[in-house]
């Protein structure tokens, strides 16, 4: 979603801002803009990519040591130059960038119109810009005060940075619901939607909390107040991210790099958590909440998209080995459907970005009902990580490709560790079985490494099916979420319609779609309901469907039935998702590349969905 970068300090702002926007491109956007202040407050913006903006400003005056920049993911008003940010106020003295949605913008706009304001764009952001200007002029207050007062009048979500033509030393930043980080350099300040544009300049950051407004002045200390005028002491944290994690490192796309990082990211998610000698699993971040987990009536998992698929694997794991009831909810449904939540429920929120608006809202709802909330997040210091009572980071490292890959396997790894720990505490599995499982789990990174070698076969399959219009993905038990995830990956980046189904459900409808044109990906590994899945494959073959099967190394039966077979190493049934997902990620990747799709930034998608 929208990306924000701002700078004030001794250096020229433009190169820092453009560089920052490029770092934020992964979030997904459709237009870009920048405002710079030297003698004049100048705004440049354009529809399209950051490279289009660079072209657009080729001959422009780009001087100034203070500025704000933005990538916009359209909500109100189509993606065009007028609707792109920054937005000027009516007098052109104030410029503002915004991520989020001002829900009561229509009412505010009407009021401002009656006071003579004329709007250029269809955005909610321009309304906020003029509201700030109106308050500043009518109440004779500073820009900081005007922003603070204005934010008391808006409902919705925002991360904003504002600058004033008459004050070349000051930026005002504020947030509610949308993320904002302030980087504190030697003698300069950076503001961004996440730490990626900041990391190359400083590791010292302050994460703004909801309803906080920051006064950021050249050569002066950072000041923070709440919108209700309460002073806050800035809490400076150290970033742990490193710059190389944000580069492609020789790969053609971030997605491919991230697929190949999985042996390491899974290992990093397990590091220091499995103790084979002592025969135990520890998760430091939630240790103080283990009693709550033990006393829980049930676990509710809330998440969206790929993280929801990881949650589904979590449900199978918790119920299978820790024998505790689990419900997996789409955060967007959960938050609005008046769910029954008890104080003894433990809610686990899963999110790569830690910024997903629906997941955050689901957390707030569950919190208000007294439930204990644990988080599984990838981005350290993110809003969800901070909104939960406790949590466990996945340690997958920055995920830049919009299609989530390594974050998924890291989430499943952490859920596996949680389920194992809970099973140990509840005594639902015996010691020797527990040992067997943690020993096998610690071998998974090596097995993922082995699984990554299937490229030749995957490319052959991609070549054959790259032009079809539909795909069906089938799996049962632990492999059902894998089918969903495989289908999601394909549709996200190749724009081929794909459906994931529990294999046995096929005969209740989707079987009608099967003919010789229809590729059906079946995850048919050798455990659990293998025989039943073999029957499902026969049903597909009887209708001339083309079967691509993911099987366990050495499989004989499916090999005779399927048109294409991809082998993965033998493992425990519950760990199969960690392996079987990998060739499906690669299949989606290669098909998308062959179709000339923008793999890392697929159309219409945003990496971090900060609006509902
Ligand atoms: C995955 O490939 C997606 N782009 C998307 O479904 C994503 O998983 C979803 O938006 C949730 O994001 P989160 O994990 O950052 O909360």
């Amino acid at each position: 979603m929208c990306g924000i970068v701002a700078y004030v300090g001794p250096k020229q702002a433009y190169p820092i801002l453009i560089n920052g926007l490029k770092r934020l491109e992964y979030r997904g956007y459709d237009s870009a803009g920048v405002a710079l202040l030297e003698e004049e407050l100048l705004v440049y913006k354009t529809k399209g990519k950051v490279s289009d903006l660079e072209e657009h400003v080729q001959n422009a005056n780009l001087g100034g040591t203070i500025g704000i920049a933005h990538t916009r993911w359209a909500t109100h008003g189509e993606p065009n130059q007028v609707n792109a940010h920054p937005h000027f106020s009516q007098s052109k003295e104030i410029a503002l960038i915004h991520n989020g949605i001002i829900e009561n913008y229509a009412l505010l706009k009407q009021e401002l119109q009656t006071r003579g304001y004329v709007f250029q764009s269809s955005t909610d952001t321009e309304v906020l810009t003029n509201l700030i200007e109106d308050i500043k002029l009518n109440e004779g207050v500073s820009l900081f005060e005007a922003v603070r007062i204005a934010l008391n009048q808006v409902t919705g979500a925002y991360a904003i940075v504002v600058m004033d033509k008459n004050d070349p030393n000051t930026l005002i930043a504020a947030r509610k619901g949308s993320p904002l980080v302030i980087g504190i350099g030697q003698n300069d300040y950076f503001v961004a939607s996440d730490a990626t544009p900041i990391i190359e300049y400083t590791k010292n950051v302050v994460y703004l909390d909801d309803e906080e407004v920051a006064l950021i002045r050249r050569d002066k200390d950072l000041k923070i107040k709440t919108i209700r005028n309460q002073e806050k002491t800035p809490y400076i944290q150290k970033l742990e991210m490193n710059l190389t994690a944000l580069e492609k490192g020789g790969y053609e796309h971030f997605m491919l790099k991230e697929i190949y990082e999985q042996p390491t990211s899974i290992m990093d998610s397990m590091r220091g958590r499995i103790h084979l000698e002592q025969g135990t699993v520890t998760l430091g971040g939630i240790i103080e909440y283990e009693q709550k987990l033990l006393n829980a009536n049930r676990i509710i998992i809330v998440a969206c998209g790929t993280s929801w698929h990881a949650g589904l694997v979590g449900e199978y794991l918790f119920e299978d080995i820790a024998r505790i009831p689990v419900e997996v909810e789409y955060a967007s449904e959960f938050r609005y459907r008046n769910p029954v939540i008890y104080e003894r429920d433990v809610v686990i929120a899963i999110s790569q970005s830690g910024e997903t608006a629906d997941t955050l809202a689901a957390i707030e709802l569950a919190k208000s009902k007294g439930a204990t909330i644990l988080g599984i997040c990838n981005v350290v210091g993110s809003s969800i990580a901070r909104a939960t009572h406790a949590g466990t980071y996945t340690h997958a490292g920055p995920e830049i490709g919009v299609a989530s890959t390594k974050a998924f396997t890291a989430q499943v790894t952490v859920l596996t560790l949680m389920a194992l720990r809970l099973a140990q505490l509840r005594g639902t599995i015996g010691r020797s079985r527990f040992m067997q499982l943690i020993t096998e789990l610690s071998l998974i990174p090596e097995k993922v490494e082995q699984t990554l070698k299937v490229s030749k076969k995957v490319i052959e399959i991609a070549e054959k099916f790259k032009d079809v219009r539909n795909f069906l993905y089938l799996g049962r038990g632990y492999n059902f979420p894998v089918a969903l995830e495989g289908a999601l990956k394909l549709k996200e980046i190749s724009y081929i319609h794909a459906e994931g189904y529990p294999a046995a459900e096929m005969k209740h409808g989707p079987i009608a779609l099967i003919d010789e044109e229809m590729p059906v990906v079946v995850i048919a590994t050798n455990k659990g309901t293998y025989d039943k899945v073999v029957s499902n494959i026969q049903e597909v073959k009887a209708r001339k469907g083309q079967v691509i099967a993911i099987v366990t190394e050495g499989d004989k039966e499916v090999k005779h039935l399927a048109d294409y077979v991809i082998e993965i190493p033998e493992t425990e049934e519950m760990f199969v998702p960690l392996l079987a997902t990998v060739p499906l990620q690669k299949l989606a990747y290669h098909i998308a590349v062959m179709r000339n799709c923008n793999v890392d930034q697929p159309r219409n998608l945003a990496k971090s969905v900060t609006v509902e």
Side-chain angles (χ1 to χ4, degrees):
M1 301 247 127
C2 303
I4 283 177
V5 196
Y7 175 79
V8 57
K11 302 186 189 108
Q12 282 298 302
Y14 177 75
I16 295 171
L17 298 175
I18 281 290
N19 202 15
L21 288 187
K22 286 182 182 161
R23 292 250 182 257
L24 293 177
E25 280 192 297
Y26 79 96
R27 294 169 70 90
Y29 69 104
D30 38 53
S31 54
V34 60
L36 295 159
L37 172 56
E38 204 164 35
E39 266 137 44
E40 289 287 299
L41 177 55
L42 298 170
V43 169
Y44 307 104
K45 45 196 194 175
T46 183
K47 184 182 169 184
K49 295 287 171 193
V50 177
S51 54
D52 297 312
L53 177 65
E54 284 181 289
E55 217 167 286
H56 177 70
V57 298
Q58 245 171 18
N59 302 315
N61 171 7
L62 299 173
T65 55
I66 182 168
I68 58 181
H70 191 265
T71 47
R72 173 175 186 253
W73 187 86
T75 57
H76 295 61
E78 63 173 283
N80 60 24
Q81 189 179 23
V82 180
N83 289 334
H85 301 206
H87 282 282
F88 265 137
S89 62
Q90 178 133 306
S91 70
K92 290 203 160 40
E93 298 211 335
I94 293 173
L96 182 148
I97 50 178
H98 169 219
N99 172 16
I101 293 178
I102 307 298
E103 284 165 10
N104 58 340
Y105 83 102
L107 201 68
L108 294 168
K109 189 170 181 174
Q110 252 175 20
E111 277 174 30
L112 288 164
Q113 277 166 332
T114 58
R115 291 215 285 282
Y117 284 86
V118 178
F119 290 85
Q120 313 300 320
S121 73
S122 343
T123 65
D124 50 340
T125 304
E126 194 186 2
V127 176
L128 178 59
T129 318
N130 278 327
L131 178 66
I132 291 168
E133 172 153 296
D134 193 57
I135 292 169
K136 185 168 180 271
L137 295 176
N138 288 328
E139 302 196 16
V141 291
S142 67
L143 180 67
F144 180 80
E145 273 304 292
V147 171
R148 192 187 65 72
I149 295 166
L151 292 177
N152 279 285
Q153 298 180 25
V154 304
T155 52
Y158 53 78
I160 56 168
V161 187
V162 196
M163 61 193 285
D164 184 339
K165 183 182 172 184
N166 304 307
D167 186 352
N169 298 314
T170 303
L171 295 170
I172 313 293
R175 76 155 265 177
K176 183 184 175 194
S178 298
L180 213 53
V181 192
I182 301 171
I184 304 175
Q186 285 288 345
N187 46 5
D188 41 15
Y189 288 105
F190 306 81
V191 188
S193 299
D194 63 44
T196 54
I198 295 178
I199 186 72
E200 54 199 282
Y201 308 106
T202 177
K203 291 212 169 221
N204 297 326
V205 294
V206 172
Y207 291 94
L208 277 190
D209 271 328
D210 274 351
E211 302 198 334
E212 285 184 350
V213 194
L215 176 61
I216 304 163
R217 289 166 298 176
R218 200 188 294 275
D219 302 324
K220 295 218 169 110
D221 285 345
L222 178 67
K223 290 250 173 298
I224 298 179
K225 273 186 178 182
T226 67
I227 62 169
R228 316 225 181 281
N229 214 9
Q230 229 191 337
E231 294 248 359
K232 289 297 214 45
T233 311
Y235 170 54
I236 301 175
Q237 302 188 40
K238 281 253 177 271
L239 288 176
E240 279 173 18
M241 198 186 283
N242 67 49
L243 200 55
T244 47
L246 306 177
E247 313 282 357
K248 281 191 204 145
Y251 286 90
E252 205 183 328
H253 297 99
F254 280 109
M255 183 182 175
L256 191 62
K257 176 184 173 228
E258 286 154 9
I259 290 173
Y260 275 88
E261 277 174 348
Q262 289 177 108
T264 313
S265 52
I266 293 174
M267 179 65 95
D268 289 345
S269 299
M270 297 195 296
R271 201 180 301 286
R273 292 169 170 174
I274 297 182
H275 312 282
L276 285 174
E277 317 73 50
Q278 291 103 309
T280 185
V281 165
T282 50
L283 287 163
I286 57 165
I287 223 156
E288 285 171 23
Y289 283 81
E290 282 188 347
Q291 205 53 43
K292 292 261 185 200
L293 260 172
L294 256 178
N295 294 338
N297 287 331
R298 62 172 175 170
I299 292 172
I300 303 171
I301 296 177
V302 292
C304 305
T306 287
S307 298
W308 187 86
H309 296 157
L312 215 51
V313 180
E315 175 182 31
Y316 286 61
L317 283 161
F318 281 113
E319 296 203 340
D320 189 5
I321 57 175
R323 308 302 300 146
I324 180 162
V326 180
E327 281 164 34
V328 188
E329 303 268 359
Y330 285 113
S332 53
E333 286 299 310
F334 182 77
R335 64 181 288 194
Y336 285 119
R337 70 166 175 77
N338 195 15
V340 177
I341 306 167
Y342 301 108
E343 284 188 11
R344 279 182 59 184
D345 287 336
V346 171
V347 173
I348 300 178
I350 308 175
S351 174
Q352 186 287 127
S353 62
E355 301 295 348
T356 303
D358 285 321
T359 310
L360 257 173
I363 290 171
E364 295 310 334
L365 173 70
K367 238 192 203 173
S368 72
K369 307 278 182 198
T372 298
I373 325 288
L374 305 179
I376 297 179
C377 291
N378 194 37
V379 178
V380 177
S382 53
S383 303
I384 291 176
R386 288 179 297 138
T388 45
H389 292 119
T392 301
Y393 283 116
T394 42
H395 299 308
E399 190 179 65
I400 308 291
V402 164
S404 188
T405 52
K406 63 174 180 173
F408 173 78
T409 46
Q411 288 163 344
V412 172
T413 304
V414 168
L415 285 160
T416 309
L417 293 171
M418 269 190 181
L420 282 163
R421 177 65 187 150
L422 194 55
Q424 194 175 35
L425 290 171
R426 288 168 64 93
T428 45
I429 50 173
R431 179 148 179 92
S432 67
R433 179 71 181 134
F434 183 82
M435 285 308 295
Q436 226 175 10
L437 289 175
I438 60 172
T439 309
E440 177 61 18
L441 184 58
S442 58
L443 297 176
I444 289 294
E446 247 169 68
K447 295 192 176 184
V448 172
E449 192 81 65
Q450 222 177 306
T451 310
L452 283 165
K453 295 189 179 132
V454 296
S455 299
K456 214 168 138 221
K457 191 41 115 11
V458 173
I459 291 171
E460 182 193 335
I461 300 169
E463 195 61 63
K464 164 90 180 142
F465 293 106
K466 65 179 193 312
D467 297 319
V468 302
R469 294 173 61 103
N470 299 291
F471 255 90
L472 196 60
Y473 285 68
L474 304 175
R476 290 186 84 156
Y478 282 101
N479 290 334
F480 163 50
V482 176
L484 293 179
E485 179 57 10
L488 179 65
K489 285 295 85 87
L490 187 71
K491 64 187 138 196
E492 277 189 299
I493 60 168
S494 75
Y495 318 139
I496 294 176
H497 172 243
E499 291 292 337
Y501 259 91
E505 275 291 305
M506 182 182 62
K507 58 187 168 297
H508 299 289
I511 199 163
L513 298 169
I514 294 173
D515 59 18
E516 57 280 1
E517 305 278 288
M518 178 67 119
V520 184
V521 177
V522 189
I523 303 107
T525 46
N526 66 359
K527 303 268 160 41
T529 48
Y530 177 75
D531 292 341
K532 316 249 174 234
V533 175
V534 171
S535 308
N536 297 137
I537 292 176
Q538 264 152 348
E539 286 156 15
V540 175
K541 284 316 300 171
R543 283 149 190 92
K544 299 197 167 51
Q546 309 224 33
V547 173
I548 302 154
I550 310 290
V551 299
T552 313
E553 231 165 26
D555 178 281
K556 299 244 157 36
E557 216 174 330
V558 174
K559 242 181 212 164
H560 291 304
L561 292 171
D563 301 87
Y564 297 88
V565 159
I566 298 172
E567 291 192 339
I568 60 170
E570 168 85 47
T571 189
E572 289 283 345
E573 189 186 358
M574 70 185 73
F575 304 149
V576 170
L578 291 168
L579 304 183
T581 309
V582 175
L584 302 187
Q585 295 167 342
K586 291 186 77 168
L587 181 63
Y589 172 80
H590 287 295
I591 290 181
V593 170
M594 288 171 192
R595 289 166 68 92
N596 285 324
C597 296
N598 186 343
V599 173
D600 285 333
Q601 292 161 39
R603 68 180 181 209
N604 305 337
L605 289 181
K607 181 70 183 162
S608 129
V609 184
T610 52
V611 297
E612 62 171 293

